[in-house]
Every structure is written in structure tokens, then in C-alpha cells.
């Protein structure tokens, strides 16, 4: 799983601070000027336009399912913790 975020995104920060993402198997990709790999990954999943509309965005790599919005991502991660 990949979480696309930016350091200045408050909703992204809520997710990063509220969950042990590493334990859940979530790779955080910070969209910053000095991280071209994150932008390349975002483009690979064809999510650049969606990211311009708002972050955070999570991609489940195995199935290429895309989850947008902090609340939806939190619900997904909370359900993952229960299982």
C-alpha cells in the first residue's frame, strides 16, 4: 500500500500520526520537490489530477484500488487493524 501525502497536508498528518503505517505495510510517498520518485509513482497510477484535487490518496498496490480522502483512508486502516 502507498499513501501519497505532503508535509503541509493536515489530513495527511492525521493519518501518519494516528496509525503505525510501517506496521500496517503502508509506504508513505511524500510529494515534495526533492522526491521525484513519489511523483513518478503518482503518475504511474494515473493519479496526478486526483492529487491536484486533494490529498491524501492511498493505493492498494496488489489490486490498484484507490482510496481518496482522509476519512475513507482512516476507515480502511481501522478495518485492517481489526482483521
Amino acid at each position: 500500500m502507498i499513501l501519497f501525502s505532503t508535509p503541509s497536508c493536515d489530513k495527511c498528518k492525521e493519518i501518519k500520526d494516528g496509525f503505525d503505517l510501517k506496521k500496517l505495510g503502508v509506504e508513505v510517498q511524500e510529494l515534495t520537490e526533492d522526491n521525484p520518485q513519489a511523483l513518478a509513482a503518482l503518475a504511474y497510477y494515473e493519479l496526478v489530477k486526483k492529487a491536484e484535487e486533494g490529498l491524501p490518496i492511498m493505493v492498494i498496490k496488489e489490486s490498484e484500488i484507490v482510496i481518496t480522502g482522509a476519512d475513507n483512508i482512516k476507515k480502511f486502516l481501522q478495518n485492517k487493524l481489526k482483521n
Side-chain angles (χ1 to χ4, degrees):
M1 292 180 283
I2 303 172
L3 176 69
F4 291 102
S5 69
T6 63
S8 61
C9 170
D10 290 335
K11 293 183 185 266
C12 301
K13 186 169 172 37
E14 285 177 31
I15 293 169
K16 292 184 282 189
D17 291 348
F19 295 91
D20 186 346
L21 297 177
K22 188 172 186 176
K23 182 178 177 183
L24 289 167
V26 177
E27 170 191 349
V28 177
Q29 285 287 345
E30 294 287 344
L31 298 167
T32 60
E33 291 178 10
D34 61 341
N35 189 1
Q37 295 88 355
L39 185 56
L42 194 69
Y44 173 81
Y45 291 106
E46 300 178 353
L47 295 170
V48 173
K49 185 172 177 98
K50 186 143 315 261
E52 289 172 351
E53 295 169 6
L55 292 170
I57 298 173
M58 178 172 277
V59 175
I60 314 306
K61 293 191 287 188
E62 302 80 33
S63 58
E64 294 193 15
I65 292 173
V66 176
I67 305 169
T68 58
D71 290 337
N72 294 330
I73 294 170
K74 285 181 203 176
K75 287 176 191 172
F76 173 80
L77 293 174
Q78 288 166 345
N79 285 335
K80 188 161 176 62
L81 285 171
K82 291 178 187 177
N83 297 329

